[in-house]
Structure formats: C-alpha cells, structure tokens
Amino acid sequence: MPIDLQQFIQRAGQGAGRIRLSGKPSARQSPPAPVLSRHKGSLGGRVVEWLRGSTASRAAENRQVTTLFLDAIKAAYGQTGLRAVSARIGVDEGKPLTSSDVRVYTGLAEQAVLERNKAQQDLEVVVAHRCAEPLAAFFPSEGDTGAFALINELFEAAETKDFAKRLEETLRDPLSEASQAIVAHVQKAVRSKLELGADIGDSEIATALRFAFKAQVFGAAAKDEAGLRFLLQRPWVTLANEQLSVRDDIKRLLKNPVLHDNRKAWVAARVVAVATDLAQADGADAAYAGSDPPLTRADHAQQLVDMVLHADDGFYRLLNKAERAGAFALKRDLDSAQAGRTNDRQDRLMLLEKAAVAECARLALAPAHADFRALDGLEQRAVVALGGRADAFAPTTQTHRDLLFQLRAQAANLGHGVSGLEQQAFISSQMRRFTARLIEDAVRALGEPPHRFEALTLGSTSRGEASPYSDIEFAFVVPGHLTAEQVAAARDHLQRVATLMRFYVTALGEFGLYGLPEKLHWDPAGLTPDKDPMAFIGRPADLVKLGFKAGPDGEPLNPEMFTMYANAEWLYGEAGQDGVPLANAFHEATRAHLNRSADTNGRQTRGSRLGNWLLTQALEAPGDMLPSVLRRQIALGNPGADANGVEVNVKRLSRLPMMLVQSLCLTHGVHDSDAAAGMAGPVHSTAMRVQALVERGVLRRDQAERLMTAFDILARVRTQAHLRNASAVDTVQLEDHPELRQAIDLLVPFEQSIAHQLGRSGRP
C-alpha cells in the first residue's frame, strides 16, 4: 500500500523534541506544508535522520520513500549531494532502499558536499538556516502559499554561488524586486502582530522577525506613507524579546547610497511630520507603556527630529527650505519645553542653548526677515536660570549682532595703506571692546559679584593679533588677599557670568553647525571660566601656578593654557582703592614665577626652560607648513615653476615666527616692560617682543626687519582671507597671494637657525 507522504512527514516530525533548531529545542509545530531545508535540524533534515534509524523494512522498500529520500537529500545537501547519490541508486529500476543504503548514500552526499568549496557551502547553509527556515516558521496561515513559494525560491537560490550576495543585497536595497516581494508577503503579518501590541518572543524565529521588520521599514519608506507613519509613532517594537528601533533603521536607510536623494528627502520630511504630530497631540507628555525610564511621546518626537537634524549626518540637507525651517522650529520648541521640565540648572541651560542653536539655524534660512523675539525669550529664561531677575531683563541679541557687524565692516573698510599687523591690532582692540561689552551685559543681568574682580584677555586678542573670527578667550582674576571661602563665592558668581556670556555667543549664530560657517565662537576645548572655573577664575598667584605649571623637563603640562596666560592683558574692571589694577598683580606674579630658578644650581630659570621647549614647538607646530617644505613644493629656486594648486595655511605658518620670538623673550628674561625700557605695559605682541629683543641685543635690526616683514605679510593675507570668506578660513591658494613667496623665503633662514640650535639637520 502506498505511503501517505503527509503522514510520513508528520511521523518524521515526531522526533522534533530531540532535534535541535538554532541550538534550542523547537517549541513550535512544523509548518502545515512540507517545506524542505538543507539544514539537518530542519524538516528535511529530520526526514533524513528518521530514515537513518528506521527499521521499517516495508516502508524502506516503498518506491515513494525512495523518491522522498532523494528530495530530502536535495534539500539537505543540495544538487551536489543529489548527484552523488543518484549515481549509485537505481530508482528507475525499482531497486529497494534499505536502512543500510540510507546510511551509505547519506555519507556519500556529505562527502560530496565537503569536497565542494567548504567555505562557500558553510556560508550558504548558515544564511539559509538563519533567514529562510525561520521565515517559514513565521507564517502560521495555511493558505499563504505565496510566502512558501518565496521561501522555496530562497532555497533554490541557495544552489547558486551568489546566494549570500543576493540575500545581502535584498537586505540592503529596499527598492529591489526581492525586497519588495518580501515586503508584500511579510508586511501584513508583521503589521497585524504590531497592531495587537503583542510581544513576539519565540527565539526560534528571532532572526526572521528582525529581517521581516527591516523589510517592512524599508518597504514603508519606499512607497507606503501610512505604514511609515504607523511605525514612526512607536519608539520601539519588541520582537523576540528584543527592542527594535524604527529610528535606527530609518537612520541607516537615510545613509543608504542605493536610495535616491528624492526618496530620502521624502522619508526625512515624514519623520519630521510625525514628530510634529506627536509633539502637538493631546497627551504628548504621557509615557509609553513599558518604557523604563519613562519615555513620553514628546521625548520620542525629540529623538526623531534630532535624528534628522544631526549635524554630523546632515540629513536636514535633504529637506527643502520650508521643511528645514519647520524642523528647526520644532527642535527649538521641544528643547525649550524640555528645559522647562528639568530642575537641574546645568541641564536647563544646555537645553536652552540647544534651542537657541536651532532658532539661529532657522533664522539663517531667511536672514532678511530675522525676528529675534524667540531668542530674546530664551535669553530671558537663561538669565533667570542663572539667578538673574526676570523683571530687570533687557534683551541683547540684536545689539550684540549689530556690534559684531560694525566691527567687521570697519575692519574691511581700512585703507589699502594699512599693514597686516595694523589691521590685526585694530581688530584686536575692537574684539576687546566687544568681549568687555559681553561681560558688562552679563554682570548687569546677574548683578555684581560679591568681591572685586577684573577680566584678562588671553590668546591672540591679547597679543594684538586677532582675526575677525577668532574665538573668545578670557579669565577672571580676584584680589590675592581673599580667603578660600571668599574666592569660592566669587568663583560661583563669575562662573555664572561666563555661562551667560557663552549663551550670548551662541545667540550670535556663528557656531559652525547645520552648514553655517564657523565665525566667532566659544572655545571648543573647554578652556573657559564656565567650563573650568578653577583654572580661569582665581587669585593672581593661583592662576599663574596653574597656567605655567611645568613637567620635569620644563615643558608646560597644559600647553594651550600656557600660551593663553603667557599673553594675558587687562580687559575689564575698575581699579581698587589703591588704584592698582589686578592685572598688574597677575603680571608681577607671572614675572616672579618665570624668574625663579628651575634647578638647584640656578643655571636655568623656569622661563628659560619654557623658552627652550617653545623653540622646539616653533618647528613642530607648523607641521607640513614649514617654510623649507613649502619652498620645495613651489620650487622657488626654479624660475617659471608652476605653483598653481599649492595651498598655504597661514595660521600654521605664522606659528614659526611667533613662537621663535616668544621663545627668545622667555630665554632672555624679556617678560614685561621692565626688560624693554621706554615701553609701557607688558611685552606681549610679537612686534613688541621683537623690538625688545633688538634693544637687548638678542636680534640684529636687519634680522628683526626680515622677521617682521614676513609676519606682516602673513597677518595681511590671513585677515583678507577671513574677511573675503566671512569665516575663519586660514588656508589660501598661493596663486591668489603671490606675496607669500617672499614671506616663505624670508622665514627659511630662521627655520634653519632653529634647527641648527636644536641640533637638527632637517624637519623634526
């Protein structure tokens, strides 16, 4: 009597309890139709295992069993195994199949597979098992024949060498035919489970669920707006005890080079639209069930819009102008609302600054119609958060932007007869006035600190060598007689003053995010009174001790802080009853520290050791912008050489003369006006230092003239580049500034002299 194949399959499936699938006992029933897989733990593999141990001789003699056995061999071992078995089995001749034959033929199939490309075979088996068979188990509907046909197609594809490649492309390309076919069969089943709110936790189908979920996200993003909106409204989907993030899949999709930019823009716009709906809907503050910690719909909306507006990814560029403006406005409102819900002052200020950044980005899209009311409101909340009075608030954003615009306009309108160093000196004086205005406005908003203070300007501005787009560098100094408790009270207040100043700078909209150029900005390294109050707010001796602290070989432990404090000058504040500025006390402490002996025999001072270190930096800081390197690149010694395309970073090139001069001053004790007779105030600018070195006989006058000619050319080129590009662009083309050839040529002998002094034959 012929064997009922369906019954035969069911009998084979009775051993499922001891056959492991994905390393675990199967907890699900087999699919209703015989779907064969090449894996031994699959249904087809279990048929082979059952036949191996069968003692039913009558069943083994049945021709249909032989046919089934060959189907199982094909499913488990592919065409390679089937060919090896078919060559030995006499199906057409009606030769009976015994249990012994099963063992022999199975061994032949296994051997044939092993002799094939084993690495490729292993990969195919793993992919087929991890993706295809779990997908089969995922469909409980007996009538879903299309899904089973698709799965069988995957098995057939496993017979080809490019199976792994095909499946990988299916996962990556949401618009491919294979992906769309999967979406068509999977989407309905997945959506029905999600709509029921079910957590699908069967570990046997975890891989298939992840695959199906990604397919649905891709498919919805490709053509199904309703499906995409449905998915985006949930922060996660729990499948197989794993939380899958729609946001993460969308982010990967927006980075996918296969998807056209128009479709990416469509997706990004829908993400922002859903975020807007979530933020504005009733119950936006209600938390999602099961979220720990609680996640509200407003929080989810903020995560969605942050994903689109993430500056590093630049997805906001996919949106049109109106959509981008709407996205920035939404982020502003969400950050502003979140700031109102937090009790932590620092978190609140951070969120208010983020809201200000978003508003500045929105305003930049339509600068001719700028309305600063939103920024004024955020500024008022920042003032209140820092301890200021709301009723005494006066907005400053418009005033600060106007002052900065006037500063740059005046710098651009300086006559052609003005030298580069004179341009920088003018800009530095205006930058001092602008920074002092920020301090004045912040103190007015928050009140006077409990003790007298002054502000010191640091860095390029204090040297008189600032550009129109330099960052703001300053410190606060308090009287040296204050107790530790009094210093702590003053530091707390002045840190809040600096924090409000940082908000002022943020509201200028020159932070360099969202495609906007970086112009005037807060120090990104955190070398500011708000981020490091211990290092930038204190008594003169305390600041000097931290700023000039050196290692065992004389090198500064914090080179950036050293270069800042080595040039400190008075910026803001009134003299005390004694009429002596606190800046003078700082300079006296600096002089005393640098003139102190650095070793027991007194042969070196701290200043001279710092000067020796700075001399090495004069060769190292320019990097590949050393004069000798540039001269080789442009072949200055070869008439008619083509220098087109040679780029020069004038800021880095300027470090050689600047650091050389400062090194000589430190080595020879030229720290302030005491060492440069007839000069009032500290010796900080490069020009003043060169003059002092000439008077001390350290430099010859002709050396000083060559050095300052080169430095002036670099200053003029850098200032022009900043004004022309309206941003801090320091790299220029040599062909646009042929005068740089002269500067480079003038600096080469100084580079060689430094190398000789350090015992170096070439570039460090």
Side-chain angles (χ1 to χ4, degrees), residues 278-279 281-288 294-299 334 337-338 341:
L278 288 170
D282 294 338
D285 293 333
Y288 286 95
L295 181 75
T296 68
R297 283 158 177 76
D299 295 333
L334 288 169
Q338 189 175 354
R341 294 193 296 267

Side-chain angles (χ1 to χ4, degrees), residues 305-306 309 327-336 354-355 358 514:
V305 74
D306 282 347
L309 297 181
F328 285 127
L330 176 61
K331 177 169 173 56
R332 175 202 64 202
D333 294 341
L334 288 169
D335 285 330
S336 176
K354 285 185 176 181
Y514 303 124

Side-chain angles (χ1 to χ4, degrees), residues 153-226:
E153 182 182 335
L154 287 176
F155 290 134
E156 292 297 326
E159 299 299 332
T160 65
K161 292 183 179 180
D162 63 344
F163 169 66
K165 182 179 179 181
R166 281 184 57 189
L167 198 55
E168 183 180 2
E169 290 174 351
T170 298
L171 288 168
R172 286 184 176 179
D173 182 3
L175 299 182
S176 68
E177 292 182 5
S179 177
Q180 291 305 301
I182 290 175
V183 170
H185 294 301
V186 169
Q187 194 172 45
K188 182 178 179 181
V190 174
R191 174 123 19 124
S192 65
K193 291 181 180 293
L194 299 183
E195 288 175 342
L196 293 174
D199 286 352
I200 310 169
D202 190 343
S203 61
E204 301 295 336
I205 61 172
T207 302
L209 290 173
R210 285 193 292 272
F211 180 37
F213 178 69
K214 290 178 185 297
Q216 176 166 352
V217 172
F218 288 164
K223 60 180 182 180
D224 181 7
E225 179 168 1

